[in-house]
């Protein structure tokens, strides 16, 4: 009986000792992204707002934000696209910060359903990462 109790005690000690190591070894989803999300909101009269948020890992990033947004009708037809290098859309990207959130508004057609596909982008030093994100669908 004492032997079984000793074996159980040793196993418990090993399990408790190795548990933090196991969780520390789990791979991250990205070396650069902590989290990112986006959503559409109908604003009336056909206007639709695309709001987005992105947070990097490990301090300030050289670039962090959305490299492009593509708007689609619910049937998959592409309607419009915006990129941070285009005049008027520079606010899609931030520099030398660890997070950003903002929104843009596009003019749709009242009664039409839309969704958006965003490309989140982060650069730090010589490395970078991009992630695609598809929003919810809303009726303009």
């Amino acid at each position: 009986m004492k032997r079984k109790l000793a074996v159980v005690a040793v196993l418990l000690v090993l399990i408790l000792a190795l548990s933090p190591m196991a969780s520390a070894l789990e791979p991250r989803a990205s070396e650069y992204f902590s989290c990112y999300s986006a959503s559409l909101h109908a604003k009336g009269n056909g206007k639709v707002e695309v709001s987005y948020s992105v947070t990097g890992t490990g301090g300030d990033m050289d670039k962090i934000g959305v490299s492009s947004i593509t708007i689609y009708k619910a049937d998959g037809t592409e309607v419009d696209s915006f990129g941070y290098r285009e005049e008027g859309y520079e606010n899609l990207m931030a520099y030398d910060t660890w997070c950003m959130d903002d929104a843009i508004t596009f003019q749709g057609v009242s009664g039409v359903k839309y969704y958006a596909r965003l490309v989140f982008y982060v650069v730090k030093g010589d490395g970078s990462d991009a992630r695609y994100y598809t929003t919810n669908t809303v009726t303009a």
Side-chain angles (χ1 to χ4, degrees), residues 52 78 93 129:
Y52 51 90
E78 185 177 326
M93 193 66 63
D129 197 1

Side-chain angles (χ1 to χ4, degrees), residues 75-88:
D75 66 5
T77 304
E78 185 177 326
V79 175
D80 206 347
S81 64
F82 317 97
Y84 79 96
R85 293 182 179 173
E86 295 175 44
E87 188 176 333

Side-chain angles (χ1 to χ4, degrees), residues 44-47 107-112 114 139-140:
N45 297 323
K47 290 185 181 179
Q107 182 63 53
V109 176
S110 293
V112 175
Y114 297 97
T139 303

Side-chain angles (χ1 to χ4, degrees), residues 86-136:
E86 295 175 44
E87 188 176 333
Y89 296 102
E90 298 88 355
N91 66 321
L92 292 173
M93 193 66 63
Y95 301 87
D96 301 319
T97 187
W98 61 279
C99 69
M100 75 151 328
D101 56 72
D102 206 343
I104 66 162
T105 302
F106 73 92
Q107 182 63 53
V109 176
S110 293
V112 175
K113 293 183 180 188
Y114 297 97
Y115 69 91
R117 183 157 178 150
L118 292 82
V119 180
F120 287 97
Y121 186 61
V122 174
V123 175
K124 184 167 186 170
D126 292 334
S128 65
D129 197 1
R131 297 293 165 112
Y132 292 87
Y133 189 92
T134 302
T135 67
N136 57 307

Side-chain angles (χ1 to χ4, degrees), residues 9-60:
V10 169
L11 286 174
L12 281 174
V13 169
L14 285 173
I15 291 170
L16 292 174
L18 294 176
S19 292
M21 288 176 61
S23 64
L25 296 175
E26 291 177 4
R28 265 193 225 176
S30 171
E31 186 177 338
Y32 301 95
F33 287 103
S34 177
C35 60
Y36 52 93
S37 65
S39 59
L40 292 188
H41 310 277
K43 294 297 185 181
N45 297 323
K47 290 185 181 179
V48 177
E49 180 183 77
V50 183
S51 60
Y52 51 90
S53 176
V54 57
T55 303
T57 59
D60 287 352

